[in-house]
Amino acid sequence: MLYILLGETDIVTVHVTRKKSSYASPSVILGPSFLIGLAHSLLLDNPKMKSIARIFPLIPSASSRSSILSRYFHQSLRAKGASLADAPTLRNNPTRPSRREVTTPPALSLLAFPALLRSYLISAASSSSFLIAPSLRLLSWLAHSTTPWVQHNPVLHLILKKTFYKQFCGGETPSEVQKTTADLKNIGFKGVILAYAKEIVLEKGTAVEAGKHDETKDVEFWKKGVLETVRLSGRDGCAALKYLRPSPSRHVYSSLTQSCCRFSGAGRSIMQQLTEASAPSPIISQATTQICEYAKHQGVKLLIDAEQHVVQNGIDQWTLQFQRKYNRYGCALVYGTYQAYLRSTPATLAEHLAIAQREGFTLGVKLVRGAYMASDPRHLFWSTKEETDEAFDGITESLMRKRWNDTLRPAEEATSGPPHGFPTVDLVLASHNPDSVGKAMRIRQEQHRTGESGIIRLSYAQLMGMADEVGCELIMSGKRARSNEEKSIIAEKPQAYKYVVWGTVQECLKYLVRRAEENRDALARARQDRNALGRELCRRLLLGGNIFNFKR
């Protein structure tokens, strides 16, 4: 005999009773109301369908669906000589907590169902050793194909835009970018770190020589794109400034004439300037100054991205030059990026901290693990992932506590130093690792609990479409901070950002290839994302979660 348990949700649980033994089957089936609601949620993701639904309310409300189900199954049970009174109800089931007992929803409950489903499917493909290789080859071919039927194919464009592009990129037009930013803010993110995807392409093997092309034209094109990115970032947002964007490749930079020659807007000659760590040319210096002034006026922070090791020293010197000018009055406008997987990073960062302390400016630090393991020489990195994690966490703790430790030692090689010997630091912790983010949050809680003064400005960042569980958990911790029982523990809302790339589908394809490259080298992390998304899908589909929620 089948007993159908009806409660406040649209999930129908089946219990099976036999003559000699009875047991409650853990299996769960989906009622017709759920299927109607699922179609409802997918269809109403389209604004036009929402307008139609307002005029023709074809989908019943939750209470109506429950009433329909109740009448349907009540008649079915009565026909079999049973009644709902013979079966326990969900409300009285001691094995299921009541709604009043559920106080904190899971972090991923912040995601709308279509976004959750898309994220799960893409992370499942990215974490599969069987699927990642052909997917990467396909994306790479699409990114670099010059065939007209590929570049101007509306069907292919639509497929890519609704899948991979929508997952990782912010939009093709300013209005689409602003909508993506608004959607992320509605979820609870502080804002976005916006980056422009447009690249200047130079064929591999072409010599990079100053004076052989129109540097002014290249720099002007790059500056225009960055200024528009700053404008779209919005007040309290961030803009990523990339002097170079090499294409994904496993070749090491061996010379200027045998390099991965694909650069973003600042132009061809910039490669030579950065490799030699020379001062920026007057043209690029003037353009960067205009960008900094505009960002200052707009209230937008500039995060200068890291590049391959062969040019990173030059980028560091340029970053310090503009930090000296704009990171005054105890607040950073310009941030440099430090890659924890490099053995040299602790010493480099200690040197920059000493310069900031001596010259009296705030050092803006964006700390990442690193993204160029496929192209930089292997001896530059820590030997194991555990060593990289230790370096990342050690640097984080040193900067947050404003004192030296075994990982981050002062430039004079002392093992410890007084807190007042540490310069002012603003930190962006860019990590997908939940353990590293959790350690930083615990340090922050301890600082507030003990009433520590002079704590640094701290923000968190993850790439759009990746590590959603980490970003959403930061938002949920901010919501918990406002609850009465935790106000004494957490005194601030974590500032969480998403790194978002914008540009046309064709322009962003190369960025998508790089994302796929990173996932191929980090399958374990991708599998963790997939598993977390899968658990949230199961919670919504099988345990009565809120499937139809689009905004919170």
Side-chain angles (χ1 to χ4, degrees):
M1 184 180 296
L2 298 178
Y3 292 99
I4 310 300
L5 310 184
L6 296 177
E8 296 176 353
T9 68
D10 292 334
I11 303 301
V12 182
T13 308
V14 180
H15 286 252
V16 181
T17 303
R18 295 182 178 177
K19 291 182 179 180
K20 294 185 179 180
S21 65
S22 72
Y23 62 92
S25 171
S27 61
V28 178
I29 63 174
L30 305 179
S33 177
F34 165 78
L35 298 178
I36 293 173
L38 178 59
H40 176 260
S41 67
L42 295 177
L43 288 174
L44 294 194
D45 189 39
N46 188 318
K48 294 182 179 179
M49 294 301 297
K50 289 183 180 180
S51 302
I52 295 174
R54 294 190 188 101
I55 303 174
F56 302 99
L58 302 178
I59 306 301
S61 64
S63 59
S64 299
R65 294 196 303 266
S66 180
S67 176
I68 292 169
L69 274 176
S70 179
R71 291 196 301 269
Y72 174 82
F73 287 113
H74 187 275
Q75 295 170 3
S76 175
L77 286 172
R78 186 163 51 189
K80 295 178 180 293
S83 68
L84 289 176
D86 296 325
T89 62
L90 288 180
R91 185 182 298 278
N92 299 323
N93 187 350
T95 62
R96 182 181 178 89
S98 67
R99 283 179 176 262
R100 292 183 180 179
E101 295 173 358
V102 181
T103 57
T104 304
L108 288 174
S109 65
L110 295 170
L111 297 181
F113 182 76
L116 178 67
L117 183 60
R118 183 182 64 247
S119 297
Y120 175 76
L121 294 175
I122 292 179
S123 65
S126 301
S127 62
S128 170
S129 56
F130 176 75
L131 293 176
I132 188 64
S135 299
L136 181 59
R137 285 195 295 269
L138 177 61
L139 279 177
S140 181
W141 177 74
L142 291 173
H144 300 99
S145 175
T146 57
T147 307
W149 75 267
V150 173
Q151 294 187 349
H152 306 290
N153 188 323
V155 176
L156 183 60
H157 178 275
L158 180 64
I159 293 173
L160 288 172
K161 187 168 183 178
K162 293 298 183 181
T163 54
F164 292 98
Y165 181 90
K166 191 171 184 179
Q167 179 71 8
F168 298 110
C169 304
E172 294 189 88
T173 63
S175 61
E176 291 180 357
V177 174
Q178 290 170 344
K179 182 181 183 303
T180 299
T181 302
D183 290 343
L184 290 171
K185 288 184 176 181
N186 286 340
I187 292 175
F189 289 95
K190 177 69 174 178
V192 298
I193 302 172
L194 198 60
Y196 187 40
K198 182 69 176 181
E199 293 179 342
I200 287 179
V201 177
L202 185 63
E203 295 300 325
K204 184 177 177 181
T206 304
V208 182
E209 300 178 4
K212 297 296 184 179
H213 65 282
D214 189 352
E215 181 185 13
T216 303
K217 182 179 179 181
D218 286 347
V219 172
E220 189 64 27
F221 180 86
W222 168 77
K223 183 184 72 173
K224 181 179 178 181
V226 176
L227 289 174
E228 179 66 4
T229 301
V230 171
R231 185 185 70 83
L232 293 175
S233 298
R235 184 162 293 277
D236 296 327
C238 305
L241 192 155
K242 290 188 72 70
Y243 286 113
L244 300 174
R245 182 179 284 112
S247 63
S249 174
R250 295 189 177 272
H251 297 288
V252 177
Y253 278 87
S254 57
S255 69
L256 288 177
T257 59
Q258 296 179 346
S259 61
C260 309
C261 297
R262 180 169 281 105
F263 311 106
S264 60
R268 301 170 177 86
S269 65
I270 198 173
M271 178 68 184
Q272 185 174 19
Q273 297 177 47
L274 290 173
T275 302
E276 297 172 354
S278 59
S281 66
I283 296 175
I284 191 66
S285 180
Q286 182 180 9
T288 306
T289 298
Q290 292 176 7
I291 292 169
C292 290
E293 291 290 344
Y294 185 63
K296 181 180 178 180
H297 179 264
Q298 294 292 111
V300 173
K301 299 182 185 300
L302 289 175
L303 279 58
I304 300 179
D305 280 350
E307 303 291 351
Q308 271 91 338
H309 181 72
V310 70
V311 297
Q312 188 57 48
N313 184 41
I315 290 177
D316 288 342
Q317 298 308 312
W318 291 12
T319 302
L320 287 173
Q321 174 180 328
F322 293 102
Q323 285 187 333
R324 288 184 178 97
K325 182 175 181 180
Y326 291 100
N327 289 9
R328 298 289 177 177
Y329 311 108
C331 182
L333 175 74
V334 179
Y335 288 70
T337 299
Y338 299 85
Q339 302 179 96
Y341 72 169
L342 293 175
R343 294 175 180 269
S344 60
T345 292
T348 300
L349 180 54
E351 180 184 350
H352 295 176
L353 288 167
I355 294 173
Q357 173 70 8
R358 184 171 61 250
E359 300 183 19
F361 64 88
T362 300
L363 190 69
V365 176
K366 186 182 81 170
L367 184 62
V368 302
R369 274 178 167 76
Y372 296 101
M373 188 171 288
S375 56
D376 277 340
R378 186 65 184 85
H379 69 273
L380 298 174
F381 312 132
W382 297 106
S383 301
T384 63
K385 180 183 181 299
E386 289 71 23
E387 288 180 303
T388 298
D389 292 341
E390 183 179 347
F392 186 96
D393 295 339
I395 292 172
T396 300
E397 182 174 5
S398 177
L399 295 177
M400 291 185 68
R401 297 190 185 279
K402 297 195 297 185
R403 58 174 180 259
W404 310 105
N405 58 20
D406 291 339
T407 302
L408 189 59
R409 302 172 181 268
E412 59 268 23
E413 298 298 330
T415 57
S416 62
H420 64 268
F422 219 87
T424 306
V425 175
D426 287 358
L427 175 62
V428 174
L429 201 64
S431 175
H432 294 173
N433 189 302
D435 295 331
S436 295
V437 174
K439 289 177 182 178
M441 292 178 66
R442 287 191 291 274
I443 293 174
R444 197 63 152 183
Q445 291 173 2
E446 177 189 340
Q447 290 176 328
H448 284 294
R449 186 169 56 249
T450 59
E452 183 176 330
S453 62
I455 59 177
I456 68 171
R457 292 184 181 87
L458 174 64
S459 303
Y460 304 87
Q462 293 84 38
L463 295 170
M464 180 176 174
M466 300 179 68
D468 287 326
E469 186 181 24
V470 177
C472 290
E473 179 57 37
L474 287 165
I475 296 171
M476 293 301 295
S477 68
K479 294 179 182 292
R480 291 193 295 268
R482 293 193 293 270
S483 63
N484 293 330
E485 64 271 19
E486 293 192 20
K487 279 185 177 179
S488 61
I489 300 176
I490 305 176
E492 69 172 8
K493 176 182 177 181
Q495 307 297 306
Y497 291 81
K498 278 291 187 180
Y499 187 103
V500 179
V501 170
W502 76 284
T504 66
V505 172
Q506 189 65 29
E507 291 167 354
C508 290
L509 276 177
K510 301 174 184 67
Y511 171 81
L512 296 178
V513 171
R514 185 174 167 193
R515 293 283 75 79
E517 280 275 7
E518 291 180 2
N519 271 349
R520 182 170 67 176
D521 295 332
L523 288 180
R525 176 64 248 172
R527 290 188 181 111
Q528 292 177 24
D529 291 343
R530 178 200 63 192
N531 293 340
L533 294 164
R535 286 193 297 271
E536 174 61 15
L537 273 175
C538 289
R539 185 190 73 85
R540 297 195 195 185
L541 296 178
L542 303 182
L543 301 180
N546 188 350
I547 301 170
F548 316 109
N549 186 40
F550 287 88
K551 291 182 181 180
R552 284 182 181 263

